[in-house]
Amino acid sequence: MASSSSLHLSKALLAQAISHHGFNSSSDRVSLSSVSLPSFSGLKSQSPTSSSKAASSVSGSRRRAGSSTVRATAVETLDKTTEVSLVEKSINTIRFLAIDAVEKANSGHPGLPMGCAPMGHILYDEVMKYNPKNYKWFNRDRFVLSAGHGCMLQYALLHLAGYDSVQEDDLKNFRQWGSRTPGHPENFETTGVEVTTGPLGQGIANAVGLALAERHLAARFNKPDNEIVDHYTYVILGDGCQMEGISNEVASLAGHWGLGKLIAFYDDNHISIDGDTEIAFTESVDKRFEGLGWHVIWVKNGNTGYDDIRAAIKEAKAVKDKPTLIKVTTTIGYGSPNKANSYSVHGSALGAKEVDATRKNLGWPYEPFHVPEDVKKHWSRHIAEGAALEAEWNAKFAEYEKKYKEEAAELKSIITGELPAGWEKALPTYTPESPADATRNLSQANLNALVKVLPGLLGGSADLASSNMTLLKSFGDFQKDTPEERNVRFGVREHGMGAIANGIALHSPGLIPYTATFFVFTDYMRAAIRISALSEARVIYVMTHDSIGLGEDGPTHQPIEHLASFRAMPNLLMLRPADGNETAGAYKVAVLNRKRPSIIALSRQKLPQLAGTSIEGVEKGGYIISDNSTGNKPDIILIGTGSELEIAAKAADDLRGEGKAVRVVSLVSWELFDEQSDAYKESVFPAAVSARVSIEAGSTFGWQKIIGSKGKAIGIDRFGASAPAGKLYKEFGITKEAVIAAAKEIS
Amino acid sequence: MASSSSLHLSKALLAQAISHHGFNSSSDRVSLSSVSLPSFSGLKSQSPTSSSKAASSVSGSRRRAGSSTVRATAVETLDKTTEVSLVEKSINTIRFLAIDAVEKANSGHPGLPMGCAPMGHILYDEVMKYNPKNYKWFNRDRFVLSAGHGCMLQYALLHLAGYDSVQEDDLKNFRQWGSRTPGHPENFETTGVEVTTGPLGQGIANAVGLALAERHLAARFNKPDNEIVDHYTYVILGDGCQMEGISNEVASLAGHWGLGKLIAFYDDNHISIDGDTEIAFTESVDKRFEGLGWHVIWVKNGNTGYDDIRAAIKEAKAVKDKPTLIKVTTTIGYGSPNKANSYSVHGSALGAKEVDATRKNLGWPYEPFHVPEDVKKHWSRHIAEGAALEAEWNAKFAEYEKKYKEEAAELKSIITGELPAGWEKALPTYTPESPADATRNLSQANLNALVKVLPGLLGGSADLASSNMTLLKSFGDFQKDTPEERNVRFGVREHGMGAIANGIALHSPGLIPYTATFFVFTDYMRAAIRISALSEARVIYVMTHDSIGLGEDGPTHQPIEHLASFRAMPNLLMLRPADGNETAGAYKVAVLNRKRPSIIALSRQKLPQLAGTSIEGVEKGGYIISDNSTGNKPDIILIGTGSELEIAAKAADDLRGEGKAVRVVSLVSWELFDEQSDAYKESVFPAAVSARVSIEAGSTFGWQKIIGSKGKAIGIDRFGASAPAGKLYKEFGITKEAVIAAAKEIS
């Protein structure tokens, strides 16, 4: 069966569509050369979203009927000339690669790739700049599949485009152990995938971060004669992403910042796992996005309206001061006669029978995983074109380097991630005579010192800059009209902030985003922090007010379980510095850990500069700050972190006054300490010494690992309270006296 | 200085306002009897939000000038006749109670109470139905201060209204240890406070939950001749709440559900902690809310436009099929000559000098904490009126009970929280011969059994009902037109779902909301779960797909650190049942814990019904399911939870075959086990037996507490991977063989 043969949509599908939506099928068809399918453009006309008059709608009448060569003249940037029949063959290739991979795995989500194949094809074949043989090429367009469950769409596109990461065998090993095609897109498994998506709503936030990075770098480095930074960020998001609060947070910011080179495709297919979105999602997305300051376009027929999609992209590119949302109404599982437009095609394999029926329906005579020769040939040009694009850019960069030596060096550092030599000398150091200070203030000193030597450092707070102490004094605000600046104002949007930071970090190896809020509000952004850890994004989380030490704001604001909860999270550094040297150490570690995010927990309250603390100590995670024992045999070991290290040190002084041999250990990062040699660990915590007391103003959960069965953990295993900090420490027993009593009890 | 003397706003404030906003002061004044203040109605006219034409604006021209008795005839429900001068005196009383309390504590947020005092006064003095002497009266209007930092507003109102919880001494002990006036509103500390707020955006979500509860109960219980359930839910939210994603999630749902009796006041003061909201928040909130299906009203002068506020409330009440957002433009810190309209008044005491200046400016001659006699007298009527309101309702309920016996019994159970006798007999039980099943399916059996005996059980999933197995088969969907039903469709909005559930749970003691998603996505809703725990809200979190056992979806979907992270959270039950009996036990415990939320972690994969499991065992948190030792001296103890208990049981069989005395312990809830007697704990984990092996498909963090220094913890301390579940268990070493090897190594 040739792909050009005319087919009719099965009556079953039509009947289904009519009964669900009551549209008149006969008056609403579009005739195309290869397959005769209803356009579905009228399918959603009863929905509340479609009633918005505000969205500019790409008219369905622009669609061309009949077999003809479509030159997408409407789209300046799309100067490809491709037979419609070949376009459709390519689109069906994408659909069937997804269908076949999900079928073989008997697991996965075929519905989205089948519905979004047209926009996917147009993006990767006609619109995007990339070099398949160098996925790292700096000036590539970025693409994010925010609806990550549809990852087979992206794998199929990467495969067709010629990326080495997705070969035919990879497609055949979809969702299998050790494959490069996991169940959701993962940047650390599959080159060509920019960020890790799947948890809904975060992908659009990552895309905002990627677009922010581009805008910032373009503003900093572009010259009138050389626009060395210049790419778009494209993202596909679905109904699920739209429902998540994070997507509204970041869309509000993207509108505020006027990120004109961010183009989002909203796959408006009206189906989510629980069925029709009518049951929980009847808002007008168009109107909301207009309120958020976006340009909104509606492509009514995303299934076959290729020129509409092209025209929408052209329009989006022409709007330079606003991000664009292209609402593309599609049919989930398009082409499946019995399952299209239903939740059953969302997240399960079609099943052999329906795969057959879909092959017949779309006129697809090929074996599973087959890419027709003409499609292969058509896509093969991207390897040469991509190489040429990069070569052209490299030449441009060479020009740039010649003319703008200093800027080029900075940009290079951002592109490669190579840190400027001697950067760590900028870190401030302290002596016990240095004035007492809150570690949040010491953190600010570090940020302001580091920003002078790290060209990729930028960030900000979720509306707590003056409490988190995160302002970079030598820079202004990153805003629509001042995108070259480095203080990012996130507003009260913690989750969006974290996921935007992930996008920034994964844009270029040398970008080092930091974000800030009260430590307790990591609860709002935990999902993004987990993605930082999973996707190896070096984000620095500056988390102040890290205990009951914040005082009067009370239990809603006082972290208790947070240290434990992050110590349990893989691939994340949880750092809790005690003073100036340790804060500097925490920053050193955070910057050096290229593939790991760090949370730095900082105090609101003043803390003294302690004797014995050091940057080097922090790098080991745990170390001795004072000791009057000999032969590695202290009578007792006192262990503290952050603001409680001072209490441990004072308790040790008293105990030593009574003749005890006392060691004080700062356990600033459990993860780093875990990575030390057994010999080093034994030198800090000799197995023979079981008398150990820990003190930390937080949950004692997990401390048994450090103090052993005989040790005592002083902490807080209930919620805090509203009162001055000193009172709280006393009432909750986080005191020198408690440490001394515990020490005496067990030693 | 009498309050009726005419004063002029200090030139300083005027100058400041002009320089910030360029409005013409002279043409924009309103003359009132007591104080002459600019109306500020033009103050925000340059802002992007105010340019929306869509919002219906309550015209400033309705304001009445001169000294006159204002009868709020425009407001049907407000039939009070109060001198404007007394209204203003009351409003200033609220302002100064807030100013004085913050000043005395030298900590707190005076700005919001000063700006929102007018709407606060109108709500509590003129609009709301409540009984100060019985804060539990079921049919009261609910009020939520979503911008919880402004809690002194609510404390001042509760004080004036005659609630016992806030006496003068309580105001004087604001933010002090043991006081009933903590730094943010906490329902468990202060009666009259409905929910716990402070973490931004959650209060509006709680309010949606309260309004949902009212609508549901009204639909279920009201009769044409007796509308026994009938109250409004009011909420004040600020710019910070608006920026948080959660508020958009729940506003979308409230619009979808058409919650007409939800009336939200948006304190549009343009100031957040980092300064003017212009730096991060320039969206059109009006337009967004219209897109979300709300009725939107703009009160341009929230500082002195009392009638505008009244008229807006009237209009809001007249709109019955949509929730209403009343955007009230106010001046933060209104009345403070030098700090109003700036971030400095947001979160710090004014300071003695500025307090004096404010007293002068607003004509307030009184000592700190003084409530003028006429104000006191005016408010005193609420005690009698509240008692009358409740008595009237009680009579109505007596009528209802006579006529609708069955319904009255159900409603009573919901109002009192008393569980129907013998409800627990509905819990299903199993034998080892019962078919193997996933605990998510067993959970569904429990929910469907319990809903028949628990009139207050209702809930749903964040678009994963068919995966979480949470549909109540005997009920339809809670929707706009079917609010009597009990399946709530939350859409992909986990955070909103959790906070809505908190509102439902705190509406009435007998309401038992459950929510569901994949366990890993607790990360999205963790902030709401924490508030469940802190505010003692019995929410049941049905969390399926609780480990790598979910298979192919991969690491973004596989929880690792989540069990540990919740075990560290205070006042929360983390339950991980292993089979049918344990799932029933988990539900029993969850229902019985009236002041504690529960998370029930459930498997996607099939699990056998194990010998020895029981409901009673679950109630103890940890218990022996099998043992071939004597004298409480097993050679080894194997400990498992959830899906890994089966592996422990199988390993025990093998080890016993080799002659070992092996005990198998199910540690289904660490918290409940912790609460058992020392003797019971010793009977399960004898101190003398140090050979202990734990197995759990999650982080080993925290297990040292159970297994001691010599034990072995089998778990996963890295992220998961995408592959079939069986393969993952094998590759990650979560196997019987690993348990046996570990057991042999240490016993």
Side-chain angles (χ1 to χ4, degrees):
Chain A
M1 194 189 295
S3 65
S4 62
S5 71
S6 183
L7 288 168
H8 290 279
L9 191 69
S10 80
K11 283 182 184 168
L13 174 55
L14 265 183
Q16 184 191 351
I18 292 164
S19 72
H20 281 167
H21 295 275
F23 82 111
N24 184 320
S25 65
S26 60
S27 67
D28 202 28
R29 290 205 182 178
V30 176
S31 182
L32 282 162
S33 63
S34 55
V35 268
S36 218
L37 292 167
S39 75
F40 286 89
S41 66
L43 214 117
K44 308 300 181 187
S45 61
Q46 307 307 318
S47 79
T49 46
S50 62
S51 64
S52 164
K53 282 159 197 126
S56 85
S57 159
V58 174
S59 156
S61 65
R62 288 195 211 157
R63 268 178 251 127
R64 287 149 200 256
S67 177
S68 68
T69 296
V70 175
R71 193 180 152 86
T73 47
V75 187
E76 282 178 341
T77 52
L78 316 178
D79 56 356
K80 310 297 180 293
T81 305
T82 312
E83 290 275 345
V84 171
S85 61
L86 187 54
V87 168
E88 300 210 311
K89 207 165 173 183
S90 167
I91 289 170
N92 281 333
T93 304
I94 296 162
R95 289 192 178 116
F96 280 98
L97 287 177
I99 290 169
D100 295 337
V102 172
E103 201 61 26
K104 183 158 191 295
N106 193 24
S107 171
H109 301 75
L112 183 139
M114 292 166 76
C116 290
M119 59 183 117
H121 167 88
I122 290 170
L123 276 174
Y124 269 81
D125 190 51
E126 301 178 8
V127 175
M128 280 171 55
K129 281 185 320 187
Y130 57 88
N131 181 4
K133 295 303 173 199
N134 180 13
Y135 67 91
K136 291 181 178 172
W137 173 42
F138 167 76
N139 205 40
R140 69 192 180 276
D141 286 333
R142 266 57 168 189
F143 172 77
V144 176
L145 185 64
S146 189
H149 51 273
C151 57
M152 265 311 307
L153 173 72
Q154 195 168 6
Y155 299 149
L157 291 165
L158 292 173
H159 178 62
L160 291 175
Y163 284 81
D164 296 329
S165 51
V166 188
Q167 314 277 348
E168 189 179 326
D169 274 353
D170 297 301
L171 297 173
K172 289 179 175 166
N173 281 311
F174 179 52
R175 295 189 151 219
Q176 302 308 305
W177 178 260
S179 86
R180 293 184 290 190
T181 46
H184 290 82
E186 294 165 359
N187 60 305
F188 52 95
E189 293 283 7
T190 317
T191 57
V193 170
E194 301 286 352
V195 295
T196 293
T197 56
L200 294 174
Q202 290 197 59
I204 173 73
N206 301 155
V208 171
L210 291 165
L212 180 155
E214 193 271 348
R215 190 172 171 89
H216 171 70
L217 296 175
R220 261 172 80 179
F221 294 107
N222 284 358
K223 303 290 177 184
D225 66 341
N226 194 327
E227 300 216 329
I228 195 66
V229 183
D230 175 24
H231 71 77
Y232 284 86
T233 301
Y234 300 96
V235 54
I236 296 179
L237 71 163
D239 291 306
C241 293
Q242 289 286 19
M243 288 189 251
E244 291 284 6
I246 184 176
S247 66
N248 192 72
E249 291 181 0
V250 302
S252 179
L253 280 171
H256 172 74
W257 290 328
L259 298 177
K261 288 164 91 174
L262 172 64
I263 300 178
F265 295 80
Y266 163 34
D267 175 28
D268 171 45
N269 66 32
H270 271 239
I271 297 293
S272 66
I273 293 176
D274 277 354
D276 196 296
T277 53
E278 290 288 320
I279 66 171
F281 187 51
T282 50
E283 66 176 59
S284 166
V285 173
D286 312 27
K287 203 161 182 181
R288 175 160 63 87
F289 269 76
E290 282 161 19
L292 299 175
W294 285 55
H295 182 67
V296 180
I297 306 172
W298 183 17
V299 173
K300 291 185 185 174
N301 171 15
N303 297 325
T304 57
Y306 315 129
D307 277 355
D308 297 351
I309 296 171
R310 293 179 179 117
I313 296 170
K314 186 193 171 195
E315 185 178 323
K317 287 189 171 184
V319 176
K320 304 219 181 283
D321 62 341
K322 286 179 174 188
T324 295
L325 183 79
I326 306 176
K327 182 171 88 164
V328 188
T329 299
T330 69
T331 303
I332 192 169
Y334 180 88
S336 160
N338 304 301
K339 294 192 168 181
N341 199 33
S342 81
Y343 72 90
S344 66
V345 78
H346 167 90
S348 311
L350 292 177
K353 206 175 138 192
E354 187 65 11
V355 170
D356 272 359
T358 308
R359 278 188 146 70
K360 282 205 184 74
N361 186 41
L362 292 177
W364 199 252
Y366 307 107
E367 287 300 297
F369 299 103
H370 182 75
V371 179
E373 276 312 311
D374 45 353
V375 172
K376 209 178 271 179
K377 184 160 171 272
H378 174 71
W379 279 83
S380 67
R381 75 188 192 285
H382 288 290
I383 290 173
E385 280 184 17
L389 281 167
E390 180 170 357
E392 194 185 320
W393 185 85
N394 286 338
K396 205 167 166 182
F397 189 82
E399 282 295 310
Y400 188 91
E401 207 166 15
K402 240 182 271 170
K403 225 165 153 181
Y404 311 106
K405 207 177 159 191
E406 211 169 300
E407 290 95 325
E410 277 209 354
L411 181 54
K412 220 172 186 173
S413 155
I414 288 170
I415 292 174
T416 62
E418 214 171 285
L419 298 169
W423 68 274
E424 70 279 4
K425 286 177 199 144
L427 293 166
T429 55
Y430 302 83
T431 69
E433 289 69 42
S434 306
D437 208 345
T439 47
R440 62 172 170 156
N441 292 330
L442 298 161
S443 163
Q444 188 170 42
N446 276 275
L447 283 170
N448 278 282
L450 287 175
V451 79
K452 291 182 184 145
V453 292
L454 298 176
L457 188 69
L458 79 167
S461 161
D463 194 49
L464 288 168
S466 53
S467 290
N468 302 140
M469 308 307 291
T470 47
L471 280 183
L472 303 171
K473 293 168 185 173
S474 45
F475 289 94
D477 285 359
F478 172 90
Q479 294 286 1
K480 191 171 183 172
D481 297 326
T482 52
E484 70 281 9
E485 300 291 354
R486 300 210 220 165
N487 285 302
V488 185
R489 304 290 198 161
F490 290 101
V492 193
R493 303 180 183 96
E494 298 84 5
H495 196 185
M497 172 171 71
I500 288 172
N502 286 337
I504 297 172
L506 295 174
H507 181 279
S508 292
L511 287 179
I512 309 177
Y514 66 90
T515 71
T517 183
F518 290 163
F519 188 33
V520 78
F521 297 137
T522 50
D523 284 350
Y524 275 69
M525 59 195 302
R526 193 173 170 93
I529 296 173
R530 190 174 207 257
I531 295 287
S532 304
L534 177 62
S535 68
E536 302 174 352
R538 175 181 47 184
V539 177
I540 303 179
Y541 291 94
V542 180
M543 295 294 147
T544 70
H545 297 60
D546 72 344
S547 77
I548 53 163
L550 65 85
E552 291 88 345
D553 273 346
T556 50
H557 286 53
Q558 291 162 354
I560 296 289
E561 69 279 18
H562 299 75
L563 290 166
S565 81
F566 286 114
R567 286 173 184 150
M569 189 181 277
N571 200 44
L572 175 109
L573 292 179
M574 179 66 248
L575 296 142
R576 191 164 186 251
D579 66 0
N581 289 329
E582 287 204 351
T583 304
Y587 274 97
K588 183 174 181 194
V589 163
V591 170
L592 285 175
N593 273 265
R594 279 271 301 274
K595 300 207 157 193
R596 192 151 56 163
S598 295
I599 298 180
I600 307 181
L602 300 157
S603 77
R604 177 191 185 218
Q605 70 272 32
K606 261 193 193 179
L607 302 173
Q609 308 296 342
L610 298 172
T613 58
S614 69
I615 291 174
E616 300 70 38
V618 174
E619 294 183 285
K620 294 200 168 83
Y623 65 108
I624 300 166
I625 66 158
S626 73
D627 198 355
N628 66 332
S629 72
T630 50
N632 203 23
K633 281 185 188 160
D635 297 327
I636 185 139
I637 304 176
L638 306 182
I639 310 139
T641 76
S643 43
E644 287 69 66
L645 188 60
E646 175 195 1
I647 300 176
K650 283 184 177 162
D653 286 345
D654 282 19
L655 287 165
R656 286 170 192 148
E658 296 178 26
K660 296 268 191 188
V662 184
R663 172 175 296 177
V664 178
V665 171
S666 170
L667 202 59
V668 56
S669 165
W670 295 27
E671 300 83 10
L672 291 174
F673 185 70
D674 264 352
E675 293 164 11
Q676 304 307 311
S677 68
D678 286 345
Y680 178 75
K681 287 184 203 168
E682 172 70 17
S683 78
V684 177
F685 294 120
V689 181
S690 65
R692 304 176 186 183
V693 176
S694 68
I695 181 162
E696 184 172 75
S699 169
T700 61
F701 192 84
W703 271 100
Q704 285 82 3
K705 179 180 172 180
I706 307 298
I707 58 170
S709 307
K710 290 181 186 160
K712 292 263 177 198
I714 295 173
I716 309 168
D717 291 313
R718 49 156 284 182
F719 286 112
S722 173
K727 180 73 178 167
L728 292 174
Y729 269 81
K730 209 179 146 201
E731 291 289 344
F732 288 120
I734 312 296
T735 60
K736 183 182 77 171
E737 291 70 28
V739 175
I740 292 170
K744 287 185 176 169
E745 201 181 320
I746 57 173
S747 68
Chain B
M1 193 189 297
S3 65
S4 63
S5 70
S6 184
L7 288 167
H8 291 279
L9 192 70
S10 81
K11 284 182 184 168
L13 173 56
L14 265 183
Q16 186 192 348
I18 292 163
S19 72
H20 281 169
H21 294 273
F23 83 111
N24 184 319
S25 63
S26 60
S27 66
D28 202 27
R29 288 204 185 181
V30 175
S31 181
L32 284 163
S33 64
S34 55
V35 269
S36 221
L37 292 167
S39 75
F40 287 89
S41 67
L43 214 117
K44 308 298 182 188
S45 62
Q46 306 307 317
S47 79
T49 45
S50 62
S51 64
S52 164
K53 282 158 198 126
S56 84
S57 161
V58 174
S59 156
S61 65
R62 289 193 211 158
R63 268 177 252 128
R64 287 149 199 253
S67 176
S68 69
T69 297
V70 175
R71 190 180 154 85
T73 48
V75 186
E76 282 178 339
T77 52
L78 316 179
D79 56 357
K80 311 295 180 296
T81 305
T82 312
E83 288 275 345
V84 170
S85 61
L86 186 55
V87 168
E88 299 210 311
K89 207 166 173 183
S90 168
I91 289 170
N92 281 334
T93 304
I94 296 163
R95 288 192 177 116
F96 281 98
L97 288 177
I99 290 169
D100 296 338
V102 172
E103 201 63 24
K104 183 159 191 292
N106 193 25
S107 171
H109 301 75
L112 182 140
M114 293 166 75
C116 290
M119 59 183 116
H121 167 87
I122 290 170
L123 275 174
Y124 268 81
D125 191 51
E126 302 177 8
V127 174
M128 278 170 55
K129 280 186 319 187
Y130 56 88
N131 180 4
K133 295 304 173 199
N134 179 15
Y135 66 91
K136 289 181 178 173
W137 173 42
F138 168 75
N139 205 41
R140 70 193 181 275
D141 286 334
R142 266 59 170 188
F143 173 76
V144 176
L145 185 65
S146 190
H149 51 273
C151 57
M152 265 312 305
L153 173 72
Q154 195 168 6
Y155 299 149
L157 291 166
L158 293 174
H159 179 62
L160 291 175
Y163 283 80
D164 296 329
S165 52
V166 188
Q167 315 277 347
E168 190 178 325
D169 274 353
D170 297 301
L171 296 173
K172 288 178 174 165
N173 281 311
F174 180 53
R175 295 189 151 221
Q176 303 308 306
W177 179 258
S179 85
R180 292 184 291 189
T181 47
H184 290 82
E186 294 166 359
N187 60 305
F188 53 95
E189 293 283 5
T190 318
T191 57
V193 169
E194 302 286 351
V195 296
T196 293
T197 56
L200 295 174
Q202 288 198 60
I204 172 73
N206 301 155
V208 171
L210 291 166
L212 179 155
E214 194 272 347
R215 190 172 171 85
H216 171 69
L217 295 176
R220 260 173 80 180
F221 294 107
N222 285 358
K223 303 289 177 183
D225 65 343
N226 196 327
E227 300 216 328
I228 194 67
V229 184
D230 175 25
H231 71 78
Y232 284 87
T233 300
Y234 300 96
V235 54
I236 296 179
L237 71 162
D239 291 306
C241 293
Q242 290 286 19
M243 288 188 251
E244 290 286 5
I246 184 176
S247 66
N248 191 73
E249 291 181 1
V250 300
S252 179
L253 280 172
H256 172 73
W257 290 327
L259 298 176
K261 288 165 90 175
L262 172 63
I263 300 179
F265 295 81
Y266 163 33
D267 175 28
D268 171 47
N269 67 30
H270 272 237
I271 296 293
S272 66
I273 294 176
D274 278 354
D276 197 297
T277 53
E278 289 289 319
I279 66 173
F281 187 52
T282 51
E283 67 176 57
S284 166
V285 172
D286 312 26
K287 203 163 183 179
R288 176 160 61 86
F289 269 76
E290 281 160 21
L292 298 176
W294 286 54
H295 182 67
V296 180
I297 305 172
W298 183 16
V299 173
K300 290 186 183 172
N301 170 16
N303 297 325
T304 58
Y306 314 131
D307 278 355
D308 297 351
I309 296 172
R310 292 178 180 120
I313 295 170
K314 187 195 170 195
E315 184 179 325
K317 286 188 170 183
V319 176
K320 304 219 181 283
D321 62 340
K322 286 178 174 188
T324 295
L325 184 79
I326 305 176
K327 183 171 88 165
V328 188
T329 299
T330 69
T331 304
I332 193 170
Y334 181 87
S336 160
N338 304 301
K339 293 191 167 181
N341 200 31
S342 81
Y343 71 91
S344 66
V345 79
H346 168 90
S348 310
L350 292 176
K353 206 174 138 193
E354 187 66 9
V355 170
D356 274 357
T358 308
R359 278 189 146 68
K360 283 205 186 71
N361 186 41
L362 291 178
W364 199 251
Y366 308 107
E367 288 301 296
F369 299 102
H370 182 75
V371 179
E373 278 310 312
D374 47 352
V375 172
K376 210 177 271 178
K377 183 159 170 276
H378 174 72
W379 279 82
S380 66
R381 75 186 193 288
H382 288 289
I383 290 173
E385 279 185 15
L389 281 168
E390 180 170 356
E392 194 186 319
W393 185 84
N394 285 339
K396 204 168 167 181
F397 189 81
E399 282 294 311
Y400 187 92
E401 209 166 12
K402 238 181 275 169
K403 224 165 152 183
Y404 310 106
K405 208 176 158 192
E406 210 170 301
E407 291 94 326
E410 277 210 353
L411 181 55
K412 218 170 187 175
S413 155
I414 288 170
I415 292 173
T416 62
E418 213 172 285
L419 298 169
W423 69 273
E424 70 278 4
K425 286 178 198 143
L427 293 166
T429 55
Y430 301 82
T431 69
E433 289 68 43
S434 306
D437 208 346
T439 48
R440 62 173 168 153
N441 291 330
L442 298 160
S443 163
Q444 188 171 40
N446 276 275
L447 283 170
N448 278 283
L450 288 175
V451 80
K452 291 182 184 147
V453 291
L454 298 176
L457 187 69
L458 79 168
S461 160
D463 195 47
L464 288 168
S466 53
S467 291
N468 302 141
M469 307 308 292
T470 47
L471 280 183
L472 302 171
K473 291 168 186 171
S474 45
F475 289 93
D477 284 0
F478 172 90
Q479 293 287 359
K480 191 171 183 171
D481 298 325
T482 52
E484 71 282 7
E485 301 289 355
R486 301 211 220 164
N487 285 302
V488 185
R489 304 291 198 161
F490 290 102
V492 193
R493 303 180 181 95
E494 297 83 6
H495 196 186
M497 173 172 70
I500 287 172
N502 287 335
I504 296 172
L506 295 173
H507 182 280
S508 292
L511 288 179
I512 309 176
Y514 66 88
T515 71
T517 183
F518 291 163
F519 189 33
V520 78
F521 297 136
T522 50
D523 284 351
Y524 275 68
M525 58 194 304
R526 192 173 171 92
I529 296 173
R530 190 174 206 258
I531 295 287
S532 304
L534 177 61
S535 67
E536 303 174 351
R538 174 181 47 184
V539 176
I540 303 179
Y541 291 94
V542 181
M543 295 294 148
T544 70
H545 297 60
D546 73 345
S547 77
I548 53 164
L550 65 84
E552 290 89 343
D553 273 346
T556 50
H557 286 52
Q558 291 162 353
I560 295 292
E561 69 279 17
H562 299 75
L563 290 166
S565 80
F566 286 113
R567 286 173 184 150
M569 188 181 278
N571 199 46
L572 175 109
L573 292 180
M574 179 68 246
L575 295 143
R576 191 165 186 251
D579 65 1
N581 289 328
E582 289 204 349
T583 304
Y587 273 96
K588 183 175 180 192
V589 163
V591 170
L592 285 175
N593 273 266
R594 279 269 302 273
K595 300 207 156 193
R596 190 150 58 161
S598 296
I599 299 180
I600 308 180
L602 299 158
S603 76
R604 177 190 185 219
Q605 70 272 31
K606 261 193 193 177
L607 302 173
Q609 309 296 341
L610 297 172
T613 57
S614 70
I615 291 175
E616 300 70 40
V618 174
E619 293 183 284
K620 295 202 167 81
Y623 65 107
I624 300 167
I625 65 158
S626 72
D627 197 356
N628 67 331
S629 72
T630 52
N632 204 22
K633 280 185 188 161
D635 297 329
I636 185 138
I637 303 176
L638 307 182
I639 310 140
T641 77
S643 44
E644 287 69 66
L645 188 60
E646 174 196 2
I647 300 176
K650 283 185 177 162
D653 286 344
D654 282 18
L655 287 164
R656 287 171 192 147
E658 295 178 25
K660 295 267 191 187
V662 185
R663 172 175 296 178
V664 178
V665 171
S666 170
L667 202 59
V668 55
S669 165
W670 294 27
E671 301 83 11
L672 290 175
F673 186 70
D674 264 352
E675 291 164 13
Q676 304 307 312
S677 68
D678 286 346
Y680 179 74
K681 286 184 201 167
E682 172 68 16
S683 79
V684 177
F685 294 119
V689 182
S690 66
R692 305 177 185 183
V693 177
S694 69
I695 180 161
E696 184 173 74
S699 168
T700 61
F701 191 84
W703 272 100
Q704 283 82 3
K705 178 180 173 181
I706 308 297
I707 58 170
S709 307
K710 289 181 186 157
K712 292 264 177 196
I714 295 173
I716 309 168
D717 291 313
R718 51 157 283 184
F719 286 111
S722 172
K727 180 74 177 169
L728 292 173
Y729 268 82
K730 209 180 146 199
E731 291 289 344
F732 287 122
I734 312 296
T735 59
K736 182 182 78 172
E737 291 70 28
V739 175
I740 292 171
K744 288 185 176 170
E745 200 181 321
I746 58 174
S747 67

